[in-house]
């Protein structure tokens, strides 16, 4: 049976669209035959062309003049959602930026499927915003409005870790109590779910979901922590002014966060940097910062840091080439450096799981499986912490980038036919 609806996983770092039909892959190809479309836009300066995904990253790295935007999902539920940003000399509402990307995602999925989609199940984190129910609901409502503006008439939402559970459930033979650990670009989401082939036949799965929990910590937060600890000190963070006071840190936090990098290029930010330069005790570090700003290389640097994070998930050390902003300069970073930088973030993530188990009244040793999904779930320190919390559970790696989209497609078929 071919489904009439699709599942849309609009992610902080990558996005997918799933469509259930027999004898074919669930995930639709969105860019160059690949199922993932990086959640990136690049607005060209010299023409009205907008690039998306890998093409957007390639255009930016090739040196085209323009404006790159990434991790725009992080804006949902924040006060920035009602603001605008300058794109090619004009104010563009952040809401319109998201609409650009969601519309492109829908259009590419429809071209790949050879049909239009009017119904969709959209994935959402357990919490868009931590400890603020009103802001969290506003984020979901805003995303629904943007999806309707893109042409979806019938919309439902599903927690992303539940969607990953549905995808995993399609391949098991016995009942399991599963902790789904979905560590994405912007959030860490967890669900405790009873799964089995028999339970999969039920339309209403509410009684099988024992608990949900989440915290607004994800891969982009790991990037920021690593950048602030290892890279930004080379640009002046933690240095001193001549009067003995600490160097102001605002510009470094903006540079280390994907969705605020462009704030460093404003006239106001430039004036602050130059004021700091005049008072700096170590001007050579500020020289690197100034060169980065002049070359608008903030996203380039963030890409280097992200690559280092990925490398350190597999290797004990890696080296960053910083020659673009500091000639003949490299930086060695070890796994221990990375672990120290994210220690508090991982501890908060682990405590979220502990609290969820307590709320559900489930003993840690009764969990059969930890299902890891999401691109940032491969961080070793995070996996080790969760394994210590649930010592009897076997560790299973789902489809890190496609499991949620596939699960959303299953849910869409159940809900909309």
């Amino acid at each position: 049976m071919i489904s009439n609806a699709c599942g849309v996983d609009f992610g902080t770092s990558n996005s997918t669209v799933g469509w259930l039909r027999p004898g074919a892959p669930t995930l639709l190809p969105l860019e160059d035959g690949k199922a993932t479309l990086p959640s990136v836009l690049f607005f060209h300066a010299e023409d009205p062309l907008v690039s998306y995904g890998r093409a957007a990253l390639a255009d930016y790295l090739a040196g085209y003049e323009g404006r790159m935007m990434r991790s725009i999902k992080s804006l949902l539920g924040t006060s920035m959602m009602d603001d605008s940003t300058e794109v090619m000399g004009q104010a563009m509402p952040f809401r319109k930026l998201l609409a650009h990307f969601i519309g492109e995602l829908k259009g590419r999925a429809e071209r790949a499927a050879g049909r239009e989609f009017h119904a969709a199940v959209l994935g959402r984190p357990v919490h868009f915003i931590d400890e603020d129910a009103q802001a969290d609901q506003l984020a979901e409502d805003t995303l629904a409005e943007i999806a309707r503006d893109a042409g979806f008439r019938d919309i439902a939402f599903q927690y992303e870790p539940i969607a990953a559970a549905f995808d995993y459930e399609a391949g098991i033979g016995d009942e399991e109590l599963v902790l789904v650990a979905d560590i994405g670009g912007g959030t860490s989401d967890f669900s405790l779910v009873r799964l089995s082939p028999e339970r999969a036949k039920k339309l209403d799965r509410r009684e099988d979901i024992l608990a949900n929990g989440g915290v607004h910590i994800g891969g982009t937060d790991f990037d920021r922590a690593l950048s602030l600890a290892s890279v930004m000190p080379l640009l002046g963070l933690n240095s001193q002014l001549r009067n003995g006071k600490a160097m102001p840190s605002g510009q470094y936090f903006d540079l280390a966060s994907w969705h605020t990098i462009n704030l460093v290029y404003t006239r106001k930010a430039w004036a602050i940097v130059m004021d700091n330069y005049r008072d700096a005790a170590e001007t050579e570090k500020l020289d690197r910062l100034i060169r980065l700003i002049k070359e608008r290389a903030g996203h380039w640097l963030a890409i280097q840091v992200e690559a280092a994070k990925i490398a350190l998930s597999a290797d004990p050390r890696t080296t960053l080439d910083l020659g673009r902003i500091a000639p003949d300069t490299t930086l060695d970073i070890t796994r221990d450096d990375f672990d120290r930088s994210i220690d508090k973030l991982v501890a908060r993530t682990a405590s979220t799981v502990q609290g969820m188990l307590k709320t559900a009244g489930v003993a840690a040793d009764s969990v059969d499986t930890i299902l890891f999904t999401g691109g940032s779930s491969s961080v070793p320190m995070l996996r080790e912490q969760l394994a210590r919390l649930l010592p009897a559970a076997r560790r299973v790696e789902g489809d890190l980038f496609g499991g949620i989209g596939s699960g959303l497609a299953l849910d869409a078929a159940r809900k909309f036919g």
Side-chain angles (χ1 to χ4, degrees):
M1 178 179 174
I2 298 177
S3 175
N4 294 312
C6 65
V8 178
D9 176 23
F10 168 45
T12 301
S13 299
N14 292 279
S15 297
T16 62
V17 179
W19 178 40
L20 200 64
R21 70 258 202 236
T26 301
L27 295 181
L28 293 165
L30 300 177
E31 185 179 23
D32 298 331
K34 298 179 175 65
T36 57
L37 180 69
S39 303
V40 186
L41 306 89
F42 184 77
F43 294 86
H44 288 252
E46 298 178 356
D47 55 51
L49 177 66
V50 181
S51 303
Y52 300 86
R54 294 171 187 82
L57 286 167
D59 286 350
Y60 169 76
L61 292 174
Y64 287 101
E65 287 292 321
R67 178 81 182 271
M68 189 171 89
M69 302 294 293
R70 187 176 179 183
S71 298
I72 54 176
K73 183 181 178 181
S74 300
L75 299 169
L76 287 166
T78 71
S79 59
M80 291 181 68
M81 202 64 221
D82 295 322
D83 294 337
S84 298
T85 186
E86 185 178 315
V87 175
M88 304 307 105
Q90 296 183 341
M92 179 177 288
F94 283 115
R95 185 182 296 259
K96 189 174 180 180
L97 279 173
L98 268 71
H100 262 291
F101 188 81
I102 296 294
E104 181 70 14
L105 194 60
K106 181 177 185 288
R108 290 187 182 215
E110 290 176 337
R111 289 192 292 274
R115 56 159 296 163
E116 292 185 348
F117 290 114
H118 298 296
V121 173
L122 275 65
R124 59 149 293 165
V126 174
H127 298 299
F128 281 105
I129 303 294
D130 295 339
E131 300 177 354
D132 189 335
Q134 185 175 359
D136 187 79
Q137 186 60 52
L138 177 62
E140 181 180 297
D141 293 344
T142 301
L143 183 55
E145 290 170 9
I146 290 170
R148 289 191 183 94
D149 289 343
F152 289 116
R153 291 197 300 262
D154 301 312
I155 296 170
F157 283 92
Q158 180 59 267
Y159 289 138
E160 289 158 357
I162 296 296
F166 290 158
D167 181 55
Y168 172 70
E169 186 178 49
I172 63 175
D174 297 304
E175 181 163 305
E176 298 180 22
L177 178 57
V178 179
L179 174 75
V180 184
D182 171 24
I183 318 299
T187 58
S188 294
D189 293 318
F190 304 96
S191 291
L192 195 61
V193 194
R194 293 196 186 279
L195 303 176
S196 74
E198 286 302 312
R199 292 177 186 272
K201 299 173 184 177
K202 299 190 301 180
L203 188 60
D204 188 344
R205 300 298 302 275
R206 282 177 291 184
E207 68 178 26
D208 296 333
I209 302 170
L210 305 188
N212 287 308
V215 64
H216 206 260
I217 292 172
T220 56
D221 299 284
F222 297 152
D223 293 346
R224 180 171 59 247
L226 180 60
S227 182
L228 290 170
S230 298
V231 180
M232 292 301 154
L234 294 178
L235 308 183
L237 180 63
N238 302 326
S239 65
Q240 289 187 329
L241 302 175
R242 285 199 296 266
N243 62 10
K245 293 183 178 180
M247 176 69 64
S249 60
Q251 65 265 29
Y252 300 107
F253 279 84
D254 285 340
L255 269 177
S257 306
W258 278 103
H259 62 286
T260 56
I261 288 171
N262 287 305
L263 297 178
V264 179
Y265 305 141
T266 64
R267 292 179 181 177
K268 180 180 178 180
W270 177 255
I272 292 172
V273 169
M274 295 312 295
D275 284 344
N276 293 337
Y277 185 85
R278 284 188 287 271
D279 295 331
E282 299 175 87
T283 55
E284 71 278 4
K285 293 182 178 180
L286 272 293
D287 286 335
R288 297 168 186 155
L289 177 63
I290 289 170
R291 180 168 179 171
L292 179 147
I293 294 171
K294 284 183 175 179
E295 294 195 8
R296 290 181 173 256
H299 286 94
W300 169 84
L301 183 60
I303 290 169
Q304 310 312 306
V305 174
E306 182 185 39
K309 175 195 68 178
I310 293 169
L312 291 169
S313 293
D315 303 316
R317 66 174 55 244
T318 191
T319 300
L320 270 70
D321 182 354
L322 301 177
R324 181 171 174 181
I325 58 171
D328 302 319
T329 300
T330 60
L331 176 65
D332 290 330
I333 306 177
T334 67
R335 172 83 63 78
D336 287 342
D337 295 331
F338 180 40
D339 287 349
R340 281 192 296 271
S341 73
I342 65 171
D343 180 64
K344 292 181 180 178
L345 297 174
V346 171
R348 284 179 59 196
T349 303
S351 67
T352 300
V353 175
Q354 286 179 309
M356 191 181 71
L357 292 172
K358 185 177 180 179
T359 299
V362 173
D365 58 5
S366 66
V367 178
D368 300 307
T369 306
I370 307 173
L371 172 63
F372 290 102
T373 189
S376 297
S377 67
S378 58
V379 171
M381 186 181 193
L382 181 63
R383 290 197 173 203
E384 291 161 7
Q385 284 267 25
L386 294 183
R388 282 196 291 270
L389 282 177
L390 305 171
R394 66 191 185 103
R395 288 181 273 181
V396 174
E397 184 168 297
D399 184 341
L400 296 187
F401 298 100
I404 292 172
S406 296
L408 291 171
L410 285 167
D411 204 31
R414 293 185 185 122
K415 288 175 173 168
F416 296 115

